[in-house]
Amino acid sequence: MVIGAGALGLSTALHCALAGRSVVVVERLTAGSQASGRAAGLFKSVQADELRTRLARRSIAQAVDFADWAGVPLEVARSGSFLISRTAQHGEYLARELAQSTKWGADVREADPAQLDARLSYYRSAGEQFALWCPEDIYIEEPASLMQAYLAASRLRGVVVAEHEPVTGITVAGGRVAGVETAIRMITTPVVVDAAGGWVRQVAELAGVSVPVAPVRHQLLITAPVPDIDPADPITRVVDAAVYLRPARGGLMVGGFEPDPLPLDPRQQPPSFSTDDVPLDLDVLRRLAAHLAAEAPAAVAAAVAEHRGGLFTMCPDGRFAAGPVPHLPGLWVASGCNGSGFSSSPALGEALAAWITTGTPPPGMASLSPARFGPLPDDTLITRGLWQYAHYYDPAPAGAHQPG
Ligand SMILES: Cc1cc2nc3c(=O)[nH]c(=O)nc-3n(C[C@H](O)[C@H](O)[C@H](O)COP(=O)(O)OP(=O)(O)OC[C@H]3O[C@@H](n4cnc5c(N)ncnc54)[C@H](O)[C@@H]3O)c2cc1C
């Protein structure tokens, strides 16, 4: 059984069902209503290591072919994306990403300013820059559509999704997981996947297990429609500004990663705490967008039609926390999204389901063990998680100092 009907929980459930398992998903609120339903919907083939590149590219392929393997239609914008740097330091960083991503099989190419100007209606290059074109990248216009597709495909395969049913306990017998308690019943099961998103730590603590993530706020805005924006434009990520842009609902989506992010631990909030209670701060996005005033004026000037946010679960090393809990057989974790849980969910769910149903970890997956850091105090988790968030687009070169 799976705790949490977000992207990670539903994908794991669907893939377990495709492998012939009978699966129940128990969701405290409604399916897809928390971080997953509020994502920007961006998929990114350029990643910081080989495993994440493989998961990201496999996820893109699965999203594009969703109807073929899941039996339910899913609309995907096959827009491609630009990665842009406007400083020499970030240019070197993108050049490294170009070399390593190409080595790991991604289709990534250098792009010149003329190409940017020809392909983008909402961005004008100004001054020096280095850019990459990533033709494989896609986005899903409304993130709820992936959640609805997961739900429909899961139900087609017999998955039971119980909503408005919080898990309140995890029962352990003979040194292994025996079931869960919810607000209304006991469910007996030998396998429990904790995919509770921002609540993953408090759910694991029901079984006395610690998960190494720090929940951190992330926000985006969608402008009112802007006549000159071409909805067929690619995604743009400006790495030195830590800002991403894409067409959305006739306007522009603007999101970004502030240097001083807000940690927010639901364990210290009232029990009713949900994503609706995450405090939003438009000034954060305004300050980030101001770095692009010359290149993307609509990001700064257009009226805001929607402002939304939620929680990332950040790991100290920026990688997922996914796999079995070594000292408690039967308990699995699907978390540590580090801001890419929506877009990696197809392949991460597939890999976890393969591991759960065969007992063998797919290549590389054991390196994502939720136990890989050993015990870490909360302040270290938070310091490192915030660092990873603030450096989302420019992780330090190998060997560079990280805090904590
Ligand atoms: C504004 C924003 C933009 C983002 N943009 C992107 C993007 O472009 N690309 C990308 O890849 N990622 C993006 N992300 C990150 C992405 O949304 C997350 O990585 C992903 O949604 C995590 O999925 P999840 O299933 O772990 O969490 P959630 O979607 O939060 O699901 C967890 C579920 O567990 C449930 N739950 C919690 N406690 C219990 C309990 N006790 N019992 C039962 N159920 C419980 C919750 O109610 C929730 O529904 C974005 C996030 C935000 C906030």
Tab-separated table of all heavy atoms in Angstrom, residues 3-9 26-30 32-43 165-168 195-199 203 218-220 244 308-312 334-335 337-344, ligand 1:
chain	number	residue	atom	x	y	z
A	3	ILE	N	1.160	5.431	0.905
A	3	ILE	CA	0.634	6.561	1.687
A	3	ILE	C	0.918	7.840	0.897
A	3	ILE	O	2.076	8.226	0.712
A	3	ILE	CB	1.286	6.642	3.078
A	3	ILE	CG1	1.101	5.331	3.842
A	3	ILE	CG2	0.714	7.826	3.867
A	3	ILE	CD1	1.861	5.262	5.165
A	4	GLY	N	-0.143	8.491	0.422
A	4	GLY	CA	0.016	9.752	-0.304
A	4	GLY	C	-0.276	9.598	-1.785
A	4	GLY	O	0.399	8.842	-2.484
A	5	ALA	N	-1.294	10.319	-2.273
A	5	ALA	CA	-1.655	10.258	-3.691
A	5	ALA	C	-1.155	11.486	-4.427
A	5	ALA	O	-1.909	12.214	-5.073
A	5	ALA	CB	-3.168	10.108	-3.843
A	6	GLY	N	0.158	11.742	-4.312
A	6	GLY	CA	0.818	12.740	-5.146
A	6	GLY	C	1.439	12.018	-6.338
A	6	GLY	O	1.183	10.831	-6.578
A	7	ALA	N	2.286	12.746	-7.075
A	7	ALA	CA	2.890	12.161	-8.273
A	7	ALA	C	3.711	10.915	-7.933
A	7	ALA	O	3.638	9.895	-8.629
A	7	ALA	CB	3.769	13.203	-8.959
A	8	LEU	N	4.488	10.985	-6.846
A	8	LEU	CA	5.365	9.843	-6.532
A	8	LEU	C	4.563	8.644	-6.057
A	8	LEU	O	4.831	7.502	-6.449
A	8	LEU	CB	6.422	10.265	-5.499
A	8	LEU	CG	7.427	11.294	-6.019
A	8	LEU	CD1	8.420	11.692	-4.928
A	8	LEU	CD2	8.194	10.744	-7.225
A	9	GLY	N	3.552	8.891	-5.212
A	9	GLY	CA	2.749	7.779	-4.704
A	9	GLY	C	1.918	7.137	-5.809
A	9	GLY	O	1.876	5.903	-5.941
A	26	VAL	N	-3.687	5.419	0.147
A	26	VAL	CA	-4.467	6.136	1.149
A	26	VAL	C	-3.999	7.588	1.178
A	26	VAL	O	-2.798	7.863	1.311
A	26	VAL	CB	-4.311	5.489	2.541
A	26	VAL	CG1	-5.128	6.252	3.566
A	26	VAL	CG2	-4.770	4.041	2.497
A	27	GLU	N	-4.932	8.493	0.998
A	27	GLU	CA	-4.614	9.924	0.868
A	27	GLU	C	-5.387	10.725	1.920
A	27	GLU	O	-6.595	10.612	2.034
A	27	GLU	CB	-4.973	10.393	-0.555
A	27	GLU	CG	-5.063	11.897	-0.755
A	27	GLU	CD	-3.796	12.658	-0.408
A	27	GLU	OE1	-2.706	12.220	-0.799
A	27	GLU	OE2	-3.912	13.698	0.281
A	28	ARG	N	-4.637	11.544	2.625
A	28	ARG	CA	-5.210	12.358	3.705
A	28	ARG	C	-6.233	13.390	3.196
A	28	ARG	O	-7.241	13.641	3.838
A	28	ARG	CB	-4.020	13.053	4.367
A	28	ARG	CG	-4.288	14.137	5.311
A	28	ARG	CD	-2.941	14.776	5.691
A	28	ARG	NE	-3.184	15.924	6.520
A	28	ARG	CZ	-2.775	17.158	6.254
A	28	ARG	NH1	-2.046	17.389	5.182
A	28	ARG	NH2	-3.058	18.139	7.057
A	29	LEU	N	-5.951	13.986	2.010
A	29	LEU	CA	-6.831	15.025	1.471
A	29	LEU	C	-7.438	14.496	0.157
A	29	LEU	O	-8.162	13.529	0.200
A	29	LEU	CB	-6.044	16.331	1.307
A	29	LEU	CG	-5.498	16.867	2.652
A	29	LEU	CD1	-4.418	17.910	2.445
A	29	LEU	CD2	-6.623	17.433	3.501
A	30	THR	N	-7.130	15.132	-0.963
A	30	THR	CA	-7.572	14.555	-2.246
A	30	THR	C	-6.343	14.337	-3.135
A	30	THR	O	-5.326	15.030	-2.994
A	30	THR	CB	-8.584	15.472	-2.977
A	30	THR	OG1	-7.988	16.755	-3.133
A	30	THR	CG2	-9.881	15.604	-2.207
A	32	GLY	N	-3.536	14.415	-5.692
A	32	GLY	CA	-2.924	15.468	-6.506
A	32	GLY	C	-3.148	16.881	-6.001
A	32	GLY	O	-2.810	17.850	-6.680
A	33	SER	N	-3.702	17.019	-4.799
A	33	SER	CA	-4.072	18.361	-4.341
A	33	SER	C	-2.919	19.130	-3.700
A	33	SER	O	-3.036	20.328	-3.473
A	33	SER	CB	-5.213	18.265	-3.320
A	33	SER	OG	-4.785	17.558	-2.158
A	34	GLN	N	-1.795	18.447	-3.420
A	34	GLN	CA	-0.721	19.136	-2.677
A	34	GLN	C	0.390	19.568	-3.650
A	34	GLN	O	0.074	20.176	-4.664
A	34	GLN	CB	-0.249	18.241	-1.534
A	34	GLN	CG	-1.404	17.896	-0.578
A	34	GLN	CD	-2.086	19.126	0.014
A	34	GLN	OE1	-1.471	19.904	0.736
A	34	GLN	NE2	-3.364	19.336	-0.298
A	35	ALA	N	1.665	19.271	-3.376
A	35	ALA	CA	2.733	19.813	-4.241
A	35	ALA	C	2.509	19.449	-5.714
A	35	ALA	O	2.687	20.288	-6.607
A	35	ALA	CB	4.089	19.292	-3.768
A	36	SER	N	2.090	18.207	-5.972
A	36	SER	CA	2.039	17.746	-7.368
A	36	SER	C	1.060	18.544	-8.214
A	36	SER	O	1.327	18.817	-9.390
A	36	SER	CB	1.678	16.257	-7.419
A	36	SER	OG	2.630	15.514	-6.707
A	37	GLY	N	-0.071	18.922	-7.625
A	37	GLY	CA	-1.064	19.663	-8.394
A	37	GLY	C	-0.696	21.120	-8.607
A	37	GLY	O	-1.410	21.841	-9.324
A	38	ARG	N	0.403	21.560	-8.000
A	38	ARG	CA	0.772	22.984	-8.098
A	38	ARG	C	2.099	23.187	-8.812
A	38	ARG	O	2.627	24.290	-8.879
A	38	ARG	CB	0.834	23.591	-6.698
A	38	ARG	CG	-0.507	23.364	-5.993
A	38	ARG	CD	-0.494	23.763	-4.551
A	38	ARG	NE	-1.624	23.124	-3.883
A	38	ARG	CZ	-2.468	23.722	-3.068
A	38	ARG	NH1	-2.311	24.981	-2.766
A	38	ARG	NH2	-3.455	23.049	-2.509
A	39	ALA	N	2.665	22.085	-9.325
A	39	ALA	CA	3.976	22.171	-9.969
A	39	ALA	C	3.922	23.039	-11.221
A	39	ALA	O	2.848	23.333	-11.744
A	39	ALA	CB	4.455	20.760	-10.322
A	40	ALA	N	5.114	23.407	-11.694
A	40	ALA	CA	5.206	24.153	-12.951
A	40	ALA	C	5.001	23.228	-14.143
A	40	ALA	O	4.749	23.695	-15.254
A	40	ALA	CB	6.570	24.836	-13.038
A	41	GLY	N	5.178	21.932	-13.911
A	41	GLY	CA	4.962	20.951	-14.980
A	41	GLY	C	6.154	20.768	-15.901
A	41	GLY	O	6.045	20.163	-16.957
A	42	LEU	N	7.325	21.283	-15.495
A	42	LEU	CA	8.509	21.241	-16.367
A	42	LEU	C	9.265	19.930	-16.225
A	42	LEU	O	9.470	19.444	-15.106
A	42	LEU	CB	9.475	22.377	-16.000
A	42	LEU	CG	8.893	23.793	-15.946
A	42	LEU	CD1	9.950	24.779	-15.454
A	42	LEU	CD2	8.392	24.199	-17.325
A	43	PHE	N	9.711	19.388	-17.344
A	43	PHE	CA	10.576	18.204	-17.367
A	43	PHE	C	11.929	18.661	-17.931
A	43	PHE	O	11.965	19.399	-18.911
A	43	PHE	CB	9.996	17.114	-18.275
A	43	PHE	CG	8.758	16.421	-17.730
A	43	PHE	CD1	7.600	17.130	-17.438
A	43	PHE	CD2	8.750	15.049	-17.554
A	43	PHE	CE1	6.454	16.483	-16.964
A	43	PHE	CE2	7.621	14.387	-17.086
A	43	PHE	CZ	6.466	15.106	-16.787
A	165	GLU	N	-8.577	10.185	3.996
A	165	GLU	CA	-8.325	9.126	4.976
A	165	GLU	C	-6.866	9.207	5.439
A	165	GLU	O	-5.999	8.525	4.884
A	165	GLU	CB	-8.638	7.755	4.355
A	165	GLU	CG	-8.600	6.646	5.389
A	165	GLU	CD	-9.031	5.286	4.835
A	165	GLU	OE1	-9.640	5.222	3.735
A	165	GLU	OE2	-8.739	4.290	5.509
A	166	PRO	N	-6.567	10.034	6.416
A	166	PRO	CA	-5.169	10.150	6.867
A	166	PRO	C	-4.664	8.880	7.531
A	166	PRO	O	-5.395	8.236	8.282
A	166	PRO	CB	-5.226	11.304	7.875
A	166	PRO	CG	-6.659	11.481	8.233
A	166	PRO	CD	-7.479	10.937	7.111
A	167	VAL	N	-3.418	8.534	7.236
A	167	VAL	CA	-2.761	7.441	7.953
A	167	VAL	C	-2.298	7.985	9.299
A	167	VAL	O	-1.647	9.040	9.367
A	167	VAL	CB	-1.578	6.896	7.131
A	167	VAL	CG1	-0.689	5.993	7.973
A	167	VAL	CG2	-2.090	6.155	5.902
A	168	THR	N	-2.636	7.251	10.360
A	168	THR	CA	-2.312	7.727	11.712
A	168	THR	C	-1.326	6.807	12.433
A	168	THR	O	-0.815	7.154	13.487
A	168	THR	CB	-3.605	7.816	12.557
A	168	THR	OG1	-4.284	6.552	12.473
A	168	THR	CG2	-4.527	8.909	12.044
A	195	ALA	N	4.965	7.942	0.684
A	195	ALA	CA	5.098	8.947	-0.389
A	195	ALA	C	4.292	10.176	0.025
A	195	ALA	O	3.496	10.710	-0.756
A	195	ALA	CB	4.587	8.363	-1.707
A	196	ALA	N	4.510	10.601	1.268
A	196	ALA	CA	3.658	11.643	1.851
A	196	ALA	C	4.180	13.057	1.604
A	196	ALA	O	3.774	14.005	2.283
A	196	ALA	CB	3.456	11.392	3.344
A	197	GLY	N	5.071	13.238	0.633
A	197	GLY	CA	5.520	14.580	0.242
A	197	GLY	C	6.085	15.354	1.424
A	197	GLY	O	6.944	14.856	2.160
A	198	GLY	N	5.626	16.567	1.629
A	198	GLY	CA	6.117	17.411	2.722
A	198	GLY	C	5.896	16.795	4.098
A	198	GLY	O	6.501	17.230	5.081
A	199	TRP	N	5.049	15.780	4.172
A	199	TRP	CA	4.722	15.120	5.450
A	199	TRP	C	5.478	13.794	5.591
A	199	TRP	O	5.189	13.013	6.494
A	199	TRP	CB	3.217	14.869	5.551
A	199	TRP	CG	2.408	16.133	5.523
A	199	TRP	CD1	1.898	16.797	6.603
A	199	TRP	CD2	2.035	16.899	4.377
A	199	TRP	NE1	1.234	17.923	6.195
A	199	TRP	CE2	1.305	18.021	4.836
A	199	TRP	CE3	2.257	16.764	3.000
A	199	TRP	CZ2	0.795	18.983	3.957
A	199	TRP	CZ3	1.749	17.727	2.135
A	199	TRP	CH2	1.029	18.811	2.620
A	203	VAL	N	5.173	10.873	8.744
A	203	VAL	CA	4.618	9.539	8.467
A	203	VAL	C	5.655	8.468	8.820
A	203	VAL	O	5.347	7.485	9.492
A	203	VAL	CB	4.156	9.438	6.994
A	203	VAL	CG1	3.903	7.992	6.603
A	203	VAL	CG2	2.883	10.270	6.794
A	218	HIS	N	8.460	26.599	-2.282
A	218	HIS	CA	8.758	27.029	-3.654
A	218	HIS	C	7.504	27.681	-4.233
A	218	HIS	O	6.395	27.225	-3.969
A	218	HIS	CB	9.186	25.848	-4.526
A	218	HIS	CG	9.524	26.263	-5.926
A	218	HIS	ND1	10.624	27.041	-6.203
A	218	HIS	CD2	8.911	26.052	-7.119
A	218	HIS	CE1	10.671	27.282	-7.513
A	218	HIS	NE2	9.644	26.693	-8.085
A	219	GLN	N	7.691	28.744	-5.027
A	219	GLN	CA	6.558	29.504	-5.554
A	219	GLN	C	6.729	29.788	-7.054
A	219	GLN	O	7.849	29.826	-7.565
A	219	GLN	CB	6.471	30.867	-4.882
A	219	GLN	CG	6.630	30.894	-3.393
A	219	GLN	CD	6.623	32.326	-2.898
A	219	GLN	OE1	5.572	32.937	-2.796
A	219	GLN	NE2	7.790	32.861	-2.599
A	220	LEU	N	5.612	30.035	-7.696
A	220	LEU	CA	5.630	30.506	-9.085
A	220	LEU	C	4.437	31.425	-9.297
A	220	LEU	O	3.509	31.451	-8.484
A	220	LEU	CB	5.608	29.336	-10.065
A	220	LEU	CG	4.414	28.372	-10.039
A	220	LEU	CD1	3.201	28.929	-10.782
A	220	LEU	CD2	4.813	27.049	-10.664
A	244	TYR	N	12.974	30.346	-14.033
A	244	TYR	CA	12.462	29.640	-15.212
A	244	TYR	C	11.211	30.345	-15.728
A	244	TYR	O	10.462	30.973	-14.969
A	244	TYR	CB	12.177	28.154	-14.919
A	244	TYR	CG	11.217	27.872	-13.781
A	244	TYR	CD1	9.823	27.935	-13.954
A	244	TYR	CD2	11.697	27.501	-12.522
A	244	TYR	CE1	8.953	27.648	-12.917
A	244	TYR	CE2	10.817	27.218	-11.468
A	244	TYR	CZ	9.446	27.294	-11.674
A	244	TYR	OH	8.580	27.017	-10.650
A	308	ARG	N	1.091	30.716	-6.916
A	308	ARG	CA	0.887	29.496	-6.129
A	308	ARG	C	2.221	28.972	-5.621
A	308	ARG	O	3.287	29.367	-6.090
A	308	ARG	CB	0.154	28.434	-6.946
A	308	ARG	CG	0.933	27.873	-8.127
A	308	ARG	CD	0.061	26.920	-8.941
A	308	ARG	NE	0.815	26.205	-9.943
A	308	ARG	CZ	0.449	26.086	-11.218
A	308	ARG	NH1	-0.645	26.662	-11.662
A	308	ARG	NH2	1.195	25.391	-12.068
A	309	GLY	N	2.145	28.055	-4.664
A	309	GLY	CA	3.374	27.520	-4.092
A	309	GLY	C	3.103	26.259	-3.311
A	309	GLY	O	1.957	25.800	-3.209
A	310	GLY	N	4.162	25.698	-2.780
A	310	GLY	CA	4.048	24.467	-2.003
A	310	GLY	C	5.414	24.085	-1.482
A	310	GLY	O	6.319	24.933	-1.438
A	311	LEU	N	5.568	22.828	-1.110
A	311	LEU	CA	6.815	22.393	-0.477
A	311	LEU	C	7.606	21.439	-1.367
A	311	LEU	O	7.057	20.482	-1.907
A	311	LEU	CB	6.502	21.678	0.850
A	311	LEU	CG	5.833	22.545	1.918
A	311	LEU	CD1	5.493	21.693	3.140
A	311	LEU	CD2	6.722	23.720	2.308
A	312	PHE	N	8.910	21.726	-1.497
A	312	PHE	CA	9.873	20.755	-2.018
A	312	PHE	C	10.360	19.938	-0.814
A	312	PHE	O	10.398	20.460	0.311
A	312	PHE	CB	11.119	21.452	-2.563
A	312	PHE	CG	11.008	22.083	-3.928
A	312	PHE	CD1	9.811	22.166	-4.616
A	312	PHE	CD2	12.149	22.612	-4.526
A	312	PHE	CE1	9.745	22.757	-5.877
A	312	PHE	CE2	12.101	23.200	-5.779
A	312	PHE	CZ	10.901	23.278	-6.460
A	334	ALA	N	9.432	7.076	-0.886
A	334	ALA	CA	9.482	7.685	-2.233
A	334	ALA	C	9.432	9.187	-2.007
A	334	ALA	O	8.351	9.766	-1.890
A	334	ALA	CB	8.308	7.215	-3.082
A	335	SER	N	10.601	9.816	-1.883
A	335	SER	CA	10.614	11.230	-1.502
A	335	SER	C	11.937	11.882	-1.903
A	335	SER	O	12.654	11.401	-2.765
A	335	SER	CB	10.375	11.345	0.011
A	335	SER	OG	10.212	12.693	0.383
A	337	CYS	N	12.237	14.926	-3.269
A	337	CYS	CA	11.986	15.298	-4.667
A	337	CYS	C	12.988	16.329	-5.162
A	337	CYS	O	13.304	16.377	-6.331
A	337	CYS	CB	10.569	15.830	-4.799
A	337	CYS	SG	10.339	17.535	-4.219
A	338	ASN	N	13.496	17.189	-4.257
A	338	ASN	CA	14.449	18.226	-4.644
A	338	ASN	C	13.976	19.038	-5.847
A	338	ASN	O	14.763	19.444	-6.694
A	338	ASN	CB	15.825	17.604	-4.907
A	338	ASN	CG	16.425	17.065	-3.627
A	338	ASN	OD1	16.957	17.814	-2.826
A	338	ASN	ND2	16.291	15.767	-3.401
A	339	GLY	N	12.657	19.219	-5.913
A	339	GLY	CA	12.117	20.079	-6.965
A	339	GLY	C	11.899	19.392	-8.287
A	339	GLY	O	11.477	20.033	-9.250
A	340	SER	N	12.153	18.088	-8.371
A	340	SER	CA	11.886	17.418	-9.655
A	340	SER	C	11.076	16.142	-9.476
A	340	SER	O	11.168	15.234	-10.293
A	340	SER	CB	13.188	17.168	-10.406
A	340	SER	OG	14.076	16.450	-9.602
A	341	GLY	N	10.259	16.115	-8.430
A	341	GLY	CA	9.465	14.914	-8.171
A	341	GLY	C	8.329	14.740	-9.161
A	341	GLY	O	7.944	13.616	-9.487
A	342	PHE	N	7.777	15.843	-9.640
A	342	PHE	CA	6.697	15.764	-10.626
A	342	PHE	C	7.243	15.146	-11.917
A	342	PHE	O	6.711	14.163	-12.425
A	342	PHE	CB	6.162	17.177	-10.873
A	342	PHE	CG	5.019	17.256	-11.836
A	342	PHE	CD1	3.712	17.063	-11.408
A	342	PHE	CD2	5.249	17.547	-13.179
A	342	PHE	CE1	2.652	17.146	-12.307
A	342	PHE	CE2	4.196	17.625	-14.076
A	342	PHE	CZ	2.896	17.429	-13.641
A	343	SER	N	8.344	15.719	-12.401
A	343	SER	CA	8.862	15.314	-13.713
A	343	SER	C	9.619	13.995	-13.672
A	343	SER	O	9.807	13.377	-14.717
A	343	SER	CB	9.779	16.408	-14.256
A	343	SER	OG	10.810	16.669	-13.336
A	344	SER	N	10.075	13.575	-12.517
A	344	SER	CA	10.778	12.278	-12.443
A	344	SER	C	9.852	11.173	-11.983
A	344	SER	O	10.271	10.012	-11.918
A	344	SER	CB	11.969	12.367	-11.474
A	344	SER	OG	12.893	13.311	-11.932
B	1	LIG	C1	5.245	25.715	-7.079
B	1	LIG	C2	5.927	24.410	-7.391
B	1	LIG	C3	6.427	24.183	-8.667
B	1	LIG	C4	7.043	22.965	-8.958
B	1	LIG	N1	7.460	22.726	-10.241
B	1	LIG	C5	7.964	21.517	-10.564
B	1	LIG	C6	8.308	21.203	-11.913
B	1	LIG	O1	8.157	22.003	-12.830
B	1	LIG	N2	8.833	19.974	-12.169
B	1	LIG	C7	9.005	19.046	-11.201
B	1	LIG	O2	9.472	17.969	-11.490
B	1	LIG	N3	8.666	19.305	-9.920
B	1	LIG	C8	8.155	20.507	-9.588
B	1	LIG	N4	7.814	20.776	-8.300
B	1	LIG	C9	8.068	19.755	-7.288
B	1	LIG	C10	6.978	18.724	-7.349
B	1	LIG	O3	5.732	19.346	-7.207
B	1	LIG	C11	7.209	17.704	-6.246
B	1	LIG	O4	8.501	17.172	-6.389
B	1	LIG	C12	6.236	16.550	-6.355
B	1	LIG	O5	4.924	17.021	-6.501
B	1	LIG	C13	6.353	15.675	-5.128
B	1	LIG	O6	5.365	14.682	-5.213
B	1	LIG	P1	4.950	13.899	-3.908
B	1	LIG	O7	4.048	12.821	-4.384
B	1	LIG	O8	6.160	13.533	-3.140
B	1	LIG	O9	4.211	14.993	-2.992
B	1	LIG	P2	2.637	15.561	-2.893
B	1	LIG	O10	2.168	15.857	-4.268
B	1	LIG	O11	2.695	16.622	-1.922
B	1	LIG	O12	1.885	14.303	-2.399
B	1	LIG	C14	2.005	13.799	-1.078
B	1	LIG	C15	0.638	13.401	-0.621
B	1	LIG	O13	0.720	12.742	0.633
B	1	LIG	C16	-0.439	13.063	1.359
B	1	LIG	N5	-0.256	12.774	2.790
B	1	LIG	C17	0.511	13.448	3.673
B	1	LIG	N6	0.397	12.907	4.887
B	1	LIG	C18	-0.462	11.867	4.784
B	1	LIG	C19	-1.005	10.942	5.715
B	1	LIG	N7	-0.671	10.959	7.013
B	1	LIG	N8	-1.885	10.006	5.259
B	1	LIG	C20	-2.241	9.965	3.960
B	1	LIG	N9	-1.762	10.841	3.028
B	1	LIG	C21	-0.878	11.771	3.448
B	1	LIG	C22	-0.621	14.538	1.065
B	1	LIG	O14	-1.940	14.987	1.359
B	1	LIG	C23	-0.275	14.607	-0.424
B	1	LIG	O15	-1.405	14.511	-1.258
B	1	LIG	C24	7.187	21.975	-7.960
B	1	LIG	C25	6.689	22.221	-6.680
B	1	LIG	C26	6.071	23.411	-6.391
B	1	LIG	C27	5.548	23.625	-5.009
